């Protein structure tokens, strides 16, 4: 490899931002001034190239400090990491939160996705843009779901500098969003995570399993977490050994909560028995599905539970390193998780000798940068490794060749925190919750036209109607979107659908990631479908043709028929069906395969365009 | 010249293609197996010298038990597999993929695609006159080769050939994402400001003519490019002692472009700037 780095030089500030992450360069071979000694030796080879996984943190470092990534900064980062500039440019342009063109230091991301759109995001955008025009020093960007659906509409201000400052405004008004953008430091603090859990204030709280500590425990205090029963599950894990943990998880019938519903015990068993070393654990906290915010609430309200659950999972699969990949739009969850990991490390609950049991495990955090596709497990690996977040083709599956080509168990936040009650209450007691095939408690993200939006925990088997009653569904319900943009719509007369994997499948829909978005009849359905199509067009990685072009053609057809019905829409609907079928059949990954689901269900079940 | 590499003997897998029993060595792809029994599956992004990226999805086939269709070019054959290469489902996807491609990029210089469009009854026009197209002007920024991304199907072959699979120059990459994804050099600069070493191996693997010799590009523009009238002569490069094979494409007694045989066990179709572009001295008649 003979890399050419070009002539662009970083500014002092850019250089500082990179050096703050990587330390000062040692020789001219990685960007320092040339000394006589540099002419006599070369440093490079595998050791230098193996730091490529620091590319994404490096891009964040520059973007956080300056607000965008210049040629000089990118070339300097490439020199430091021995990464070809063309590839790094391809990575930098992949993520929505980075810019390779100059822009103001402050960016205000205004969410225009489903829940926020229903709560008036377009008026908010127009108002904010009118106030923050050219010369205001703020760049206003329309954003996909910010994961603040229970407080829609939402905006997130990011002001570059040292340190970078962020402010969330939700529910946002034009004034509050402008205030957050112009002075993030003086913006009012976000409400406590517990407010996203309406059950927290209600009777029957003791029945909550996964959310029992949210709002009760101090998210900053490890002692408080331990006083609330924290780390008993890890002790139990050490008592029964890795095989015992996998047996308990298998017996409990735990399946992945991210949408695919794959049996967790089987995944762990396959990873643990992989002959290749090392093994990795990856926690997927990149929930970007429009309407999903449960992982954020868990991480903000009960961060140590995730640290403990990751430690148990790592122990079970024989990993000594776990990566927590957190989406870039969650500044508070990032801060809380960083603090929790640091505390756990300082107290010997992470590190070389966890709990004095001779097991070494540590967690490294990775921040996403605005790409829904990175929630796909293999795209997430590529993103961590410093490549474009494009999904890999399977097989081989991650349990065989995952992160860095090694056996990897990847689970999302909700799946992992389920392991704690499995170990503390025992597999039998856990499996008794829910139904025979869908065991345990389930988190649902309810938003839209309801009085008490938020995260609800219910045992599998409750019906959609029961859940909506809890959340205070409003009159004149028109449709419910289950599973987010990749899920499907159901009608108001289908509220007796049991919320289980098998029940929703039988009803011809999906539980997905647990999104329940209610829309009353004030929400224009064709606009909503158009927004879903826009979302997929924006978020397609572009790797395979059915998804790259198909999502564009889908959006075009929906634009054509946005105000049409009946015979006028028929030919475009037929075209949509044909393209949708090929996307479902021939796309590389789940994004392209599900991009047509919601629209199809709206046509078939809701009679949109009739 | 076809060389048969002698490797470790491999186990034969038994499975079926379109109901016919087939035996193929372990490690072969479904496409290899199809071709070995004389069945061809259309492919665009598959290349004989590169690891398939399976991005175009033209070669999808139906495999019993698989939820989605699978790309024949990269899915390894397994014992007991039941493959349908020409089922209604596979044909439907192929037709749509061809329509999606032909409606968004210029496939006029892609070999075989016109025949497939006809075979699968693809009608790229039915997405309407407003269907988004790339509509990009060719990038002519050097004297050796032209990048016409209006013809690019984003097959990643040039990226792989420039990167760790052959050239190790890493001058090109995919940038952006979704429909806006493009092949570009660092900072989207002109080629002359990039890490490109002008080996032309990207042109060698490009399946659509998005990358072409400046000579070919100019002759096509002037209407003088006449492929049937060209002769091809394979010879040995005279620049150094490696002995790479060159195939000279000659029209009207002038070399119009240079390729290299992919089955050469040393170079696999790769050349350097001198072998690929340094042919003017041959036809300097002063």
């Amino acid at each position: 490899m003979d890399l050419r780095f070009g002539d662009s030089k970083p500014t002092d500030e850019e250089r500082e931002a990179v050096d703050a992450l990587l330390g000062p360069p040692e020789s001219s071979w990685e960007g320092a001034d040339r000394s006589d000694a540099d002419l006599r030796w070369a440093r490079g080879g595998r050791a230098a190239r193996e730091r490529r996984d620091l590319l994404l943190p490096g891009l964040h470092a520059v973007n956080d400090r300056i607000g965008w990534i210049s040629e000089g900064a990118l070339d300097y980062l490439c020199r430091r990491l021995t990464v070809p500039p063309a590839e790094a440019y391809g990575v930098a342009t992949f993520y929505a939160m980075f810019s390779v063109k100059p822009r103001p230091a402050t960016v205000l991301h205004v969410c225009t996705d489903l829940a926020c759109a229903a709560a008036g995001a377009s008026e908010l955008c127009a108002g904010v843009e009118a106030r923050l025009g050219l010369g205001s020093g703020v760049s206003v960007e329309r954003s996909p779901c910010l994961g603040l659906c229970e407080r829609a509409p939402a905006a997130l201000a990011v002001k570059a500098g040292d340190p970078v400052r962020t402010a969330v405004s939700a529910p946002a008004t034009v004034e509050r969003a402008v205030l957050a953008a112009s002075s993030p430091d003086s913006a009012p603090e976000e409400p406590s995570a517990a407010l996203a859990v309406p059950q927290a204030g209600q009777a029957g709280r003791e029945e909550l399993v996964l959310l029992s500590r949210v709002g009760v425990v101090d998210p900053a205090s490890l002692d408080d977490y331990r006083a609330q029963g924290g780390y008993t599950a890890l002790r139990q894990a050490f008592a029964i050994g890795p095989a015992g943990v996998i047996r308990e998880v298998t017996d409990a019938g735990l399946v992945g909560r991210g949408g695919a519903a794959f049996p967790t015990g089987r995944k762990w068993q396959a990873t643990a028995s992989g002959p290749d070393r090392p093994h990795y654990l990856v926690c997927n906290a990149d929930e970007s599905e429009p309407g999903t915010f449960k992982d954020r609430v868990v991480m903000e309200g009960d961060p140590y539970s995730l640290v403990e659950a990751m430690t148990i999972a790592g122990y079970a699969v024989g990993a000594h390193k776990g990566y927590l990949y957190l989406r870039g739009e969650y500044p508070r969850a990032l801060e809380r998780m960083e603090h929790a990991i640091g505390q756990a490390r300082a107290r010997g609950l992470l590190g070389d000798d966890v709990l004095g049991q001779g097991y070494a495990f540590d967690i490294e955090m990775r921040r996403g940068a605005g790409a829904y596709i990175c929630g796909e497990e293999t795209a997430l690996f590529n993103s961590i490794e410093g490549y474009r977040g494009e999904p890999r083709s399977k097989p081989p599956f991650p349990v065989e060749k995952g992160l860095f080509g090694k056996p990897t168990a990847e689970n999302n936040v909700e799946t992992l925190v389920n392991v704690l009650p499995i170990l503390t209450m025992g597999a039998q007691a856990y499996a008794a919750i829910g139904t025979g095939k869908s065991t345990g408690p389930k988190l649902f993200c309810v938003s839209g036209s309801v009085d008490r939006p938020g995260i609800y925990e219910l045992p599998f088997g409750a019906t959609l109607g029961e859940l909506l009653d809890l959340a205070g569904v409003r009159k004149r319900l028109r449709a419910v979107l289950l599973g987010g943009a990749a899920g499907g719509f159901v009608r108001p007369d289908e509220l007796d659908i049991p919320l289980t994997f098998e029940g929703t499948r039988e009803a011809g829909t999906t539980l997905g990631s647990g999104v329940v978005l209610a829309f009353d009849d004030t929400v224009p359905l064709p606009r909503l479908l158009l927004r879903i199509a826009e979302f997929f067009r924006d978020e397609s990685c572009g790797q395979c043709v059915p998804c790259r072009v198909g999502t564009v053609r889908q959006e075009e057809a929906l634009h054509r028929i946005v105000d049409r019905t009946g015979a006028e829409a028929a030919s475009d609907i037929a075209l949509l069906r044909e393209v949708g079928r090929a996307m479902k059949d021939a796309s590389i990954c789940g994004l392209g395969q599900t991009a047509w689901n919601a629209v199809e269900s709206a046509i078939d079940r809701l009679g949109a365009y009739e | 010249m076809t060389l048969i590499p002698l490797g470790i003997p491999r186990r034969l897998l038994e499975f079926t293609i379109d109901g016919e029993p087939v035996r193929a060595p372990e490690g072969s792809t479904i496409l290899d197996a199809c071709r070995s029994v004389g069945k061809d599956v259309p492919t665009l992004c598959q290349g004989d010298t590169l690891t398939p990226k399976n991005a175009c999805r033209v070669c999808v086939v139906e495999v019993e038990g698989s939820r989605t269709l699978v790309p024949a070019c990269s899915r390894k054959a397994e014992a007991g597999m039941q493959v349908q290469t020409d089922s209604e489902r596979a044909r439907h996807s192929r037709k749509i993929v061809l329509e999606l491609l032909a409606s968004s990029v210029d496939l006029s210089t892609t070999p075989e695609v016109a025949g497939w469009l006809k075979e699968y009854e693809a009608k790229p026009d039915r997405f309407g006159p407003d269907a988004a197209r790339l509509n990009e002007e060719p990038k002519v920024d050097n004297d050796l080769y032209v990048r016409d991304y209006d013809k690019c199907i984003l097959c990643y072959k040039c990226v792989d050939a420039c990167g760790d699979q052959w050239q190790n120059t890493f001058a090109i990459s995919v940038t952006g994402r979704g429909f806006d994804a493009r092949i570009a050099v660092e900072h989207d600069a002109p080629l002359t400001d990039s890490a490109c070493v002008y080996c032309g191996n990207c042109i060698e693997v490009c399946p659509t003519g998005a990358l072409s010799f400046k000579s070919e590009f100019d002759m096509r523009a002037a209407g003088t490019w006449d492929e049937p009238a060209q002769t091809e002569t394979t010879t040995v490069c005279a620049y150094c002692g490696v002995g790479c094979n060159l195939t000279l494409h000659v029209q009207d007694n002038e070399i119009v472009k240079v390729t290299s045989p992919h089955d050469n066990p040393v170079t696999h179709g790769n050349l350097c700037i001198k072998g690929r572009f340094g042919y003017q001295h041959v036809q300097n008649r002063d």
Side-chain angles (χ1 to χ4, degrees), chain B:
Chain B
M1 178 184 67
T2 302
L3 287 168
I4 297 158
L6 296 175
I8 310 161
R10 288 185 291 175
R11 198 159 63 97
L12 287 179
L13 304 170
E14 293 185 17
F15 58 102
T16 67
I17 295 178
D18 298 335
E20 311 267 323
V22 176
R23 281 148 65 91
E26 198 172 24
S28 346
T29 62
I30 294 174
L31 185 69
D32 294 335
C34 287
R35 288 184 174 166
S36 72
V37 295
K39 256 183 213 305
D40 206 15
V41 174
T43 62
L44 273 175
C45 74
Q46 189 265 346
D48 50 358
T49 62
L50 297 164
T51 306
K53 186 79 183 169
N54 64 75
C56 80
R57 318 302 279 186
V58 175
C59 70
V60 286
V61 295
E62 199 167 345
V63 171
E64 176 97 2
S66 172
R67 186 173 48 86
T68 55
L69 301 175
V70 306
C73 67
S74 63
R75 177 62 62 87
K76 297 268 188 290
E78 291 162 33
M81 218 176 214
Q82 289 171 289
V83 180
Q84 297 290 332
T85 64
D86 213 31
S87 64
E88 190 275 330
R89 206 174 149 202
R91 288 185 68 92
H92 173 81
S93 276
R94 252 175 244 159
K95 170 186 144 174
I96 297 289
V97 164
L98 288 167
E99 283 179 345
L100 292 174
L101 268 180
S103 66
S104 55
V105 295
D106 170 10
L107 295 176
S108 61
T109 48
T110 307
E112 296 187 271
V113 85
W116 293 332
L117 288 172
K118 201 177 259 176
E119 182 187 345
Y120 291 96
E121 294 168 10
K123 296 182 191 70
D125 296 339
R126 63 192 183 124
F127 297 114
D130 300 331
R133 293 185 62 88
L134 256 58
N135 281 334
E136 294 205 351
E137 289 300 307
K139 290 182 192 285
V140 190
D141 53 15
N142 66 87
D143 291 336
L144 300 182
Y145 79 93
V146 176
R147 300 177 286 162
D148 185 357
Y149 290 133
D150 202 26
K151 294 179 173 175
C152 175
I153 60 166
L154 233 64
C155 70
Y156 290 67
K157 281 166 82 176
C158 56
V159 177
D160 289 345
C162 187
D164 59 359
Q165 293 196 27
W166 286 120
Q167 182 63 26
N168 274 292
T169 291
F170 300 93
I172 40 183
S173 160
V174 180
T175 67
R177 72 177 186 215
F179 196 75
D180 300 326
R182 295 286 185 278
I183 304 289
V185 299
E186 63 267 32
H187 317 305
D188 210 5
L191 209 60
T192 44
D193 293 345
S194 77
C196 177
V197 298
Y198 303 94
C199 63
N201 293 333
C202 53
I203 309 176
E204 182 75 46
V205 296
C206 179
T208 61
L211 301 172
S212 67
F213 275 72
K214 179 82 166 27
S215 51
E216 176 176 344
F217 180 82
D218 288 344
M219 287 173 75
R220 278 186 191 274
T224 54
W225 182 258
D226 185 5
E227 212 154 306
Q230 292 169 9
T231 57
E232 294 179 17
T233 309
T234 297
T235 178
V236 175
C237 181
Y239 274 108
C240 76
V242 171
C244 302
N245 283 182
L246 305 179
T247 300
L248 309 176
H249 296 245
V250 177
Q251 180 180 329
D252 296 333
N253 214 23
E254 294 272 341
I255 300 171
V256 291
K257 71 171 180 180
V258 176
T259 59
S260 179
H262 289 199
D263 59 2
N264 183 301
V266 179
T267 58
H268 296 279
N270 291 282
L271 293 172
C272 72
I273 180 172
K274 291 192 270 186
R276 181 86 60 192
F277 295 106
Y279 54 77
Q280 282 305 336
H281 72 288
V282 177
Q283 46 207 30
N284 190 342
R285 297 188 172 86
D286 292 340

Side-chain angles (χ1 to χ4, degrees), chain A residues 411-579:
Chain A
N411 296 105
N412 81 340
V413 174
E414 187 190 347
T415 314
L416 285 169
V417 294
N418 266 280
V419 174
L420 304 178
I422 289 175
L423 291 181
T424 48
M425 66 170 63
Q428 297 309 323
Y430 178 91
I433 306 173
T435 64
K437 280 182 180 161
S438 298
T439 59
K442 174 81 188 98
L443 299 182
F444 295 98
C445 314
V446 188
S447 58
S449 313
V450 292
D451 292 331
R452 293 176 294 279
I455 307 285
Y456 287 83
E457 178 183 322
L458 289 177
F460 272 114
T463 65
L464 180 56
E466 286 166 5
L467 174 61
L468 285 172
D469 280 343
L470 266 182
V473 67
R474 294 184 198 144
K475 287 200 180 87
R476 305 195 317 188
L477 182 70
R478 167 83 167 91
V480 179
L481 180 61
L482 274 185
F489 285 96
V490 296
R491 289 188 305 273
D493 62 348
E494 296 178 297
L495 298 186
D496 54 350
I497 293 179
L499 296 172
T500 57
F501 293 113
E502 64 278 11
T504 45
R505 202 178 305 130
E506 231 166 75
T509 180
T510 173
L511 208 53
S513 54
V515 172
V516 175
L517 250 167
F519 297 103
D520 61 22
D521 58 7
T522 61
V523 178
L525 198 55
R527 301 268 159 204
L528 199 66
L529 300 184
L530 200 52
R531 174 63 203 151
I532 291 175
E534 269 174 20
F535 174 81
F536 283 110
R537 187 256 290 137
D538 279 344
E539 297 296 339
S540 167
C541 78
Q543 190 180 201
C544 70
V545 176
C547 180
R548 179 177 76 232
V549 189
T551 51
V552 174
R553 297 288 176 257
Q554 171 172 286
E555 193 200 349
E556 288 167 351
L558 290 174
H559 263 294
R560 282 197 293 271
I561 59 173
V562 71
D563 296 318
R564 293 188 202 165
T565 50
E568 284 182 65
S571 70
D572 273 315
I573 289 176
L575 192 66
L576 278 167
R577 281 189 201 280
E578 281 197 47
V579 173

